[in-house]
Amino acid sequence: MKKVTFIHAADLHLDSPMAGLKNLPEPIFARLKESTFSSLRKIVDAAISNEVDFVILAGDLYDGEDRSLKAQSRFRAEMERLLGKGIPVFAIHGNHDHLGGSWVKMQMPENVHIFGSKTESVLLETESGAAVNLYGFSYPTRHVTERKIHTYEKAAGGDFHIGILHGSDGSTTEHGSYCPFAVGELLEKQFDYWALGHIHKRALLAENPPIVYPGNIQGRNRKETGEKGCYLVSLDEAGANLEFMETNDIVWHEADISARGITDFDGIYRLLLKEKEKFRRVGKGVLLSVILRDIGLAGQDELDSLHSNLLELLQDGEEDESSFVWTTKVQVLEEDSWERGDLAGEADFYNELFQVADGFGPASEVLEPLYGRLPARKHVSTLGKEEEALLLEEAERLLIRLLRN
């Protein structure tokens, strides 16, 4: 029975600037800046230790169209490690590192095949005698919005057929709708595996054959939570076996914690210290964002300390830890004694205020001058619907509290 094994990774975003995170302590920020390279090294380690037949990189190898020399140099060094073990690499470029960009080119080693702007098929004969047809294309420009699946034509012969595609299945709005496709269109091609890229969240769109988003190899902001990595894949006549392999050096997590029933600052502080330890992992760094709900502190001094001192206390000493848990943010949602209906009946002013709040458009509209202008949008990430709702809720609570004090 013929069999092939390979690594499927995507969205490396090498040398990502980690925009908006420079307020981190220098040791943690330096490690975060290095994390994409560390993740790539772990992928190569896994490929070598598992003696895979080849490696697939499904787009966005680099974070920008300028492809920094540092990123290219680090990538080439890792590819040379694979060359030394006789492991070929098949890669495509996506919307971030498209072929239309401008950069100083570094020559890649001979084991690396980069697919061109037109969909092509490449035949690989493995050492075990299996014939594998791999199909793919690189983005010629940043915005490839047309459907390209019709350009994937199954070649005659071969034991296995693997499609490589950087695009969107339409299941999320967090990433641009580039090179859209439907799962059914991929299934119709009767390939043995679809190696996808572009969506940074891991997803198995179909099992037979596998249609797989491995997600990105390293989370780069608080939206990209949880473990990140790649897949070790085995294909034979009976089907496929997929094993997820974690590669991230730093993990983003979010904790939603209730302080209901705790009546003093120290109690809340001790609760958060205990919860923080649940996220600590040997050899990993963790960046933790906390939503703290149901605050019922009676004293104003303790409440003020919650807003002004709690974050600093949770961060204290973590910059010196190799297995750190650095709290990036504590969003305090207080337990309010007022109800909207009561306030609306109390004064016409509150009634008008709530009407304005209910008619308030998406927060993204208010922030559009920030997102829409080039200097700022590099450093500001867009808000999701849940984040917008929390932001508006917190703003309303803060305004009511200030008005009633």
Side-chain angles (χ1 to χ4, degrees), residues 297-373:
L297 297 182
Q300 187 61 45
D301 290 343
E302 292 201 335
L303 187 57
D304 290 343
S305 294
L306 203 64
H307 287 281
S308 59
N309 302 118
L310 183 59
L311 180 60
E312 183 179 355
L313 287 172
L314 292 171
Q315 293 172 340
D316 188 37
E318 291 290 346
E319 67 272 20
D320 300 322
E321 299 286 340
S322 60
S323 301
F324 62 81
V325 179
W326 182 263
T327 307
T328 60
K329 178 183 180 182
V330 177
Q331 184 175 9
V332 179
L333 301 180
E334 294 182 30
E335 187 178 75
D336 296 305
S337 60
W338 53 267
E339 296 289 341
R340 262 189 168 211
D342 295 336
L343 289 180
E346 183 178 305
D348 290 339
F349 171 78
Y350 286 118
N351 189 41
E352 293 176 8
L353 175 65
F354 294 138
Q355 288 179 5
V356 171
D358 290 340
F360 198 78
S364 56
E365 292 182 3
V366 179
L367 298 174
E368 177 56 32
L370 211 56
Y371 295 134
R373 293 174 185 167

Side-chain angles (χ1 to χ4, degrees), residues 248-294:
N248 47 213
D249 181 50
I250 295 176
V251 190
W252 290 81
H253 282 295
E254 184 175 276
D256 196 323
I257 300 169
S258 171
R260 188 177 300 278
I262 301 177
T263 58
D264 58 8
F265 174 86
D266 186 57
I268 292 177
Y269 175 46
R270 288 175 180 272
L271 171 67
L272 264 62
L273 285 177
K274 181 179 179 181
E275 292 294 321
K276 187 178 78 166
E277 287 305 312
K278 294 179 181 179
F279 292 94
R280 197 177 301 277
R281 297 176 57 190
V282 176
K284 299 282 185 183
V286 174
L287 295 174
L288 181 65
S289 175
V290 175
I291 298 175
L292 184 59
R293 301 181 183 274
D294 308 319

Side-chain angles (χ1 to χ4, degrees), residues 60-78:
D60 284 355
L61 281 59
Y62 306 105
D63 191 66
E65 60 184 29
D66 57 348
R67 305 188 193 182
S68 74
L69 288 172
K70 177 181 178 181
Q72 292 186 70
S73 177
R74 295 285 193 92
F75 181 74
R76 181 168 67 182
E78 294 300 328

Side-chain angles (χ1 to χ4, degrees), residues 148-199:
K148 300 282 286 185
I149 187 59
H150 66 279
T151 65
Y152 287 72
E153 296 294 337
K154 192 173 184 178
D159 300 302
F160 302 100
H161 299 265
I162 300 175
I164 310 172
L165 178 64
H166 193 85
S168 172
D169 70 327
S171 62
T172 177
T173 59
E174 291 186 9
H175 302 277
S177 182
Y178 296 125
C179 195
F181 65 87
V183 170
E185 293 175 312
L186 273 56
L187 293 173
E188 288 175 359
K189 295 297 177 179
Q190 297 185 335
F191 286 5
D192 299 288
Y193 187 91
W194 278 97
L196 305 180
H198 183 54
I199 304 302

Side-chain angles (χ1 to χ4, degrees), residues 10 223 244 394:
K223 293 181 181 179
F244 178 73
E394 188 175 13

